[in-house]
Amino acid sequence: MASDRGAPQARSVNRPPPEAKSLLEIEGLRVTFGQTAAVRGASFSVARGETHCVVGESGCGKSVTALAVMDLLVQGAQRSADRLQFGGEDLLTLPAKRMAALRGDRMAMIFQEPMTSLNPAYTIGSQMAEVFTRHRGGGRAAALERAAGLLGRVGITAPGMRLGQFPHQLSGGLRQRVMIAMALMCDPELLIADEPTTALDVTVQAQILRLLAELQRDLGLAILLITHDLGIVARIADKVSVMYAGEVVESGATAPIFAAPSHPYTRGLLRCVPVPGKVKRDELLGSIPGVVPRIPPGFVGCGFRDRCEHAVAGCAAPVPRQNAGGGHEYLCRLAPGWAA
Amino acid sequence: MSGPAIEVRGLRRVFRVGGGLLGRDREVVAVDDVSFSVPKGGVLGVVGESGCGKSTLARVILGLLPPTAGEVLVEGQRLDTMDRRARARLIQPVFQDPFASLNPRRRIRDIVAMPLEAQGGIGRREVEARVLEMLGRVGLSAEQAGRYPAQLSGGQRQRVAIARALVLRPRIVICDEPTSALDVSVQAQILNLLAQLRRELDLTLLFISHNLAVVEHVATEVAVMYLGRIVERGEADALFRAPRHPYTRALLASVLTPEPGLGVPDVGLGDILPDPANIPPGCRFHPRCPVAEPRCATDVPQRGAVECLLAAD
């Protein structure tokens, strides 16, 4: 699988040092759809060569955050932020044309269901080549050659033959590999992946995640991965942002967050996950009562307070961001160490 | 001593698939000579990848699809000798997507009342009382009974589907991926609810899922399906502690538990995907098997609890 065929003329060797400046910086991102505040002041950054996972349940704002970064929100959505920078460019003021040039080039993306992102009427080869010729120009032949090389790179056998095939002729796992190869056509700096393995079988999921980790190592790619699956986060993330009701309620490096989850929501979520050998049969799983609330613009206080066993009257007031050390932060009235 | 709740003997289901303009029709063997039984009060977890035949198996057991061969016995009675009403009193389904399986134009109380009304001969008052009692058991209020499916969350809709399945007080419930469309916190609520109802109502469950961690949590026995056959089955604790079939081992290795630092395992299955229309000779798993030997391509493993040539000893 790890063949070198067609590996992009690469940044692969000089991977930047870990303390390198962030590639993507998001500060105070807000997105509202009419009477719903979908993202409420989310902040995090993604460094070069780093995998940053945004994790949360449906409706928490994780996908909207990704779409807001790419400027792909539906019409009628209002986006604002204190800061939204990508590789030194200010995305808040970047003209639409230049944003379009950035997307698919320096900033690529893959989605959950590859079948809906691939055009069923065109061959794999022509769709992959189009990405390259649109952003980089040049001839179709060169683009197809590059496409074949990348298909080999993502572990697809007989890449030459695949170029002539249509999306429906491939399995779900192969289609997702094609999407990844297509995302790599212009040698991006950032790959945004929204639930890339959710539609796949577990065995295929493991293969795709291994591929992403390998590509990141070899190409120095930064990955922003959106997922609902804490198992995936634990296994591949360098940094984590846990989102709830439009806010990043806990963030930091992966190991400390799993070792000492400090926001009541993160703690509750981890208790909900069945882990083989950990929770006995007939013993109840942890669960979080209630449902995710719809938050109107202008909402004040902790968004989790209606479902939180630690909630007090004061939780209706603005909540402090607590610092648990080493970049581990969480949004709660409870001081660090409360759960120990 | 009573017999098993479900007994399946030599069950086979074949689909004919058109071969396209010039191609010949092909046969897809979705369920291939499957036999097993589930004791009363047991939970059989059926796991496997998409296309392994687990949902077809569920549909045949429910009587929604006739088997090509073999028979299904529910509490000792042949399923095909029963009429729909008798079958509905014994065995009920809960499917993956509660939105697709609930009529959007009917109120929750009418959806749950439907199986009772279909039986006929039950008075209005009693129908109403039984519906409200069952909604209460699944954690829904009388006020919610007047709402439409679209007004409920995904977890609440799955509670409605469970209430509808249980309102006739069946003996057996077939759950096909009942929590796969739900968020983790809601999945935990529904799994806890199913466990509680199983105890209270003395149910036998067939629990189909692609998620091994979920199956490990709920099942007393596990059957691992691959291309239409059960390639390994056994008591849940033993199977999870010491899986014997290489496919079971690969499936277990693929479970990503929330433990940082372990990375993503190499499950060693390669890129060839199973095609139910083209089942390999010999051991059907051999093209993907990380430990296959030459004889695996020609010799068919013996029928049994572990269908692997190499696990025999």
Side-chain angles (χ1 to χ4, degrees):
Chain A
M1 208 153 91
S3 103
D4 288 322
R5 280 170 298 168
Q9 314 81 330
R11 280 185 292 276
S12 52
V13 244
N14 39 11
R15 188 179 170 179
E19 66 276 10
K21 218 175 143 235
S22 291
L23 177 64
L24 176 69
E25 287 181 65
I26 303 172
E27 258 178 56
L29 176 69
R30 290 172 183 278
V31 180
T32 54
F33 301 99
Q35 281 310 297
T36 304
V39 181
R40 304 185 295 133
S43 303
F44 61 87
S45 59
V46 186
R48 291 180 194 277
E50 174 182 274
T51 299
H52 191 112
C53 282
V54 176
V55 64
E57 298 181 281
S58 15
C60 72
K62 57 189 192 299
S63 293
V64 174
T65 299
L67 292 173
V69 168
M70 296 183 290
D71 198 17
L72 287 176
L73 291 164
V74 292
Q75 280 209 333
Q78 298 277 332
R79 179 186 79 172
S80 68
D82 300 330
R83 199 170 139 82
L84 189 56
Q85 291 219 317
F86 172 74
E89 301 252 29
D90 182 0
L91 300 185
L92 292 170
T93 56
L94 200 66
K97 242 190 171 155
R98 287 193 44 209
M99 188 65 215
L102 211 64
R103 270 196 307 264
D105 186 351
R106 293 176 60 197
M107 186 194 281
M109 54 242 153
I110 53 177
F111 298 101
Q112 175 170 338
E113 181 35 79
M115 202 57 199
T116 57
S117 341
L118 288 168
N119 189 329
Y122 290 88
T123 60
I124 301 299
S126 65
Q127 295 185 61
M128 289 185 72
E130 191 206 346
V131 176
F132 194 74
T133 50
R134 169 187 284 181
H135 288 290
R136 298 291 165 87
R140 191 178 149 87
L144 282 173
E145 192 178 319
R146 182 174 170 78
L150 281 166
L151 288 178
R153 180 68 191 77
V154 299
I156 291 179
T157 48
M161 174 193 86
R162 301 295 182 190
L163 289 177
Q165 286 188 313
F166 289 91
H168 75 268
Q169 294 173 293
L170 308 179
S171 70
L174 275 181
R175 273 185 226 132
Q176 200 56 291
R177 284 180 200 261
V178 167
M179 287 306 297
I180 294 171
M182 194 183 294
L184 297 178
M185 279 301 279
C186 295
D187 203 5
E189 293 156 69
L190 175 68
L191 178 67
I192 299 180
D194 190 354
E195 302 272 11
T197 60
T198 306
L200 305 176
D201 275 315
V202 282
T203 54
V204 181
Q205 163 169 288
Q207 290 174 336
I208 296 290
L209 292 175
R210 279 180 70 82
L211 171 65
L212 285 176
E214 186 188 301
L215 290 170
Q216 175 185 61
R217 201 177 50 237
D218 295 353
L219 310 178
L221 201 61
I223 298 180
L224 174 60
L225 191 132
I226 314 287
T227 181
H228 69 285
D229 188 332
L230 287 162
I232 292 178
V233 177
R235 302 307 189 91
I236 72 163
D238 297 307
K239 297 232 176 79
V240 187
S241 294
V242 181
M243 283 191 80
Y244 184 81
E247 288 179 308
V248 174
V249 295
E250 184 155 9
S251 60
T254 307
I257 288 204
F258 281 85
S262 299
H263 193 285
Y265 175 66
T266 315
R267 298 181 68 80
L269 203 56
L270 273 166
R271 280 199 301 262
C272 290
V273 183
V275 179
K278 289 266 167 73
V279 188
K280 287 213 187 77
R281 186 164 318 114
D282 282 347
E283 210 168 86
L284 293 187
L285 288 168
S287 62
I288 304 172
V291 291
V292 180
R294 178 169 297 240
I295 304 261
F299 181 90
V300 180
C302 174
F304 188 57
R305 63 180 187 258
D306 287 344
R307 303 175 72 188
C308 181
E309 54 181 331
H310 305 285
V312 296
C315 295
V319 186
R321 193 164 286 278
Q322 307 278 2
N323 187 346
H328 181 181
E329 292 182 354
Y330 64 99
L331 202 58
C332 185
R333 70 174 179 91
L334 297 163
W338 68 272
Chain B
M1 188 63 208
S2 53
I6 309 173
E7 190 171 3
V8 165
R9 291 185 195 148
L11 204 65
R12 190 177 160 82
R13 172 69 207 198
V14 179
F15 294 101
R16 292 197 74 82
V17 179
L21 204 56
L22 299 169
R24 202 175 285 165
D25 278 8
R26 295 186 304 170
E27 279 200 342
V28 175
V29 185
V31 175
D32 189 2
D33 194 9
V34 163
S35 303
F36 63 84
S37 65
V38 190
K40 281 187 184 136
V43 182
L44 176 70
V46 180
V47 296
E49 293 168 286
S50 31
C52 74
K54 54 192 196 297
S55 290
T56 303
L57 178 67
R59 284 172 183 276
V60 173
I61 293 176
L62 282 162
L64 299 175
L65 275 177
T68 309
E71 57 185 17
V72 180
L73 286 86
V74 174
E75 303 226 308
Q77 272 183 283
R78 280 184 63 150
L79 199 69
D80 51 7
T81 61
M82 284 181 235
D83 69 6
R84 277 177 62 171
R85 288 193 196 123
R87 213 160 56 206
R89 287 194 298 270
L90 266 183
I91 185 165
Q92 284 281 336
V94 174
F95 292 113
Q96 171 173 353
D97 185 351
F99 208 52
S101 61
L102 303 180
N103 186 338
R105 292 171 209 284
R106 313 255 343 233
R107 292 178 194 276
I108 301 308
R109 84 157 63 80
D110 301 328
I111 290 171
V112 177
M114 195 90 127
L116 291 168
E117 283 160 358
Q119 289 291 322
I122 308 173
R124 256 186 96 85
R125 283 241 174 95
E126 197 192 335
V127 168
E128 170 122 3
R130 284 171 72 173
V131 166
L132 286 179
E133 192 259 349
M134 193 47 75
L135 285 173
R137 276 188 188 270
V138 301
L140 294 172
S141 65
E143 187 256 325
Q144 284 164 323
R147 298 200 193 163
Y148 291 93
Q151 295 172 297
L152 302 183
S153 71
Q156 287 166 338
R157 286 198 289 262
Q158 199 58 297
R159 287 173 195 269
V160 174
I162 292 171
R164 178 178 59 183
L166 296 182
V167 75
L168 285 176
R169 294 300 176 90
R171 313 289 306 134
I172 295 149
V173 179
I174 311 285
C175 304
D176 190 358
E177 302 273 8
T179 63
S180 303
L182 305 175
D183 272 318
V184 198
S185 68
V186 183
Q187 164 173 287
Q189 293 173 5
I190 296 294
L191 291 177
N192 287 345
L193 174 68
L194 283 171
Q196 179 199 334
L197 292 170
R198 179 173 78 84
R199 275 195 306 273
E200 287 176 8
L201 305 177
D202 197 21
L203 299 168
T204 302
L205 301 184
L206 189 76
F207 193 100
I208 295 174
S209 179
H210 71 283
N211 186 330
L212 263 83
V214 167
V215 166
E216 200 260 1
H217 183 65
V218 300
T220 55
E221 285 173 61
V222 177
V224 180
M225 278 190 87
Y226 190 78
L227 281 179
R229 280 204 62 77
I230 293 177
V231 295
E232 180 165 6
R233 76 189 133 91
E235 191 261 320
D237 288 334
L239 187 135
F240 279 92
R241 204 176 332 107
R244 292 172 63 202
H245 197 287
Y247 180 61
T248 312
R249 286 206 286 268
L251 275 184
L252 269 175
S254 310
V255 176
L256 301 178
T257 53
E259 298 168 287
L262 296 181
V264 181
D266 180 3
V267 292
L269 289 187
D271 294 329
I272 307 151
L273 285 169
D275 176 5
N278 192 6
I279 292 177
C283 168
R284 60 192 65 208
F285 182 58
H286 85 266
R288 295 174 83 197
C289 182
V291 295
E293 292 177 1
R295 63 184 164 128
C296 300
T298 51
D299 301 359
V300 178
Q302 222 179 5
R303 303 272 148 112
V306 185
E307 298 199 345
C308 173
L309 293 163
L310 309 174
D313 18 83

